[in-house]
Amino acid sequence: MLSEKIVYIIVLTSFLGSFFYIKDIFLGKTKPNLVSWFIWSLATFIGVFFQIKAGAGLSVLPIFLAGFISFLIIIISILRKNAYWKINTFDIICGLISFFALLLYIFTHNLTISILFAIMSDALAYIPTIIKSWNFPNTETGLLYTTGIINNILGLLIIKSWIFPIYSFSISIILFNLVVLFCIYRKKIFKFL
């Protein structure tokens, strides 16, 4: 277990990744899928609440920052004309399913089941961004997903109580960010093979 002072690195890398993502939004390179970002913001804030109820300490910071940055990206994308990906029927269906999972998550009152629903909602919200990243990898900035992976690994390293509601959300974010990164960089990865 690392010292909780590692949170300074987590905050720094979060804002570093988000700075480049937001810069690319303003340059027109990155076009976030607002369905994904909205659900990510909502799911992570609810997840933080339940993780704190489970006894999480500063290890919850990467999840909180993911939600805060997601909210910030939504606001910037809405204010910046043509900065977001056009939402289609599939995105809306994924968003509705994610929102339904969040509602179930809120009303179960069981921390383990609640976290599972939050992870499911978060996972479903990744689908539109994964598809967009696969088909149009140049519309995403990989650095934000990389810093998300680093931050959640660091968050795992400061956990004091290893119970499912505390560590599971971070692990899911790491795995799904790896999938998005693979979609963004798959052509470059296969060039080297």
Side-chain angles (χ1 to χ4, degrees), residues 88-187:
N88 61 33
T89 305
F90 180 75
D91 296 333
I92 293 169
I93 291 169
C94 287
L96 289 173
I97 293 169
S98 296
F99 192 70
F100 180 70
L102 277 174
L103 289 177
L104 291 174
Y105 166 59
I106 291 168
F107 294 111
T108 59
H109 300 293
N110 177 310
L111 289 178
T112 300
I113 292 171
S114 296
I115 290 294
L116 281 173
F117 280 120
I119 291 169
M120 182 175 71
S121 175
D122 200 51
L124 290 169
Y126 270 94
I127 293 171
T129 294
I130 288 169
I131 291 170
K132 180 177 75 75
S133 298
W134 182 270
N135 292 325
F136 305 98
N138 58 333
T139 63
E140 280 295 338
T141 301
L143 182 61
L144 183 66
Y145 299 98
T146 303
T147 58
I149 292 167
I150 293 167
N151 291 341
N152 281 282
I153 289 171
L154 292 174
L156 289 172
L157 295 175
I158 61 174
I159 290 176
K160 293 178 182 171
S161 177
W162 277 84
I163 60 172
F164 184 79
I166 293 176
Y167 69 78
S168 56
F169 212 111
S170 288
I171 290 174
S172 72
I173 288 176
I174 292 167
L175 295 175
F176 289 116
N177 280 353
L178 283 169
V179 171
V180 173
L181 281 175
F182 175 77
C183 292
I184 294 169
Y185 296 114
R186 75 181 191 286
K187 292 178 183 176

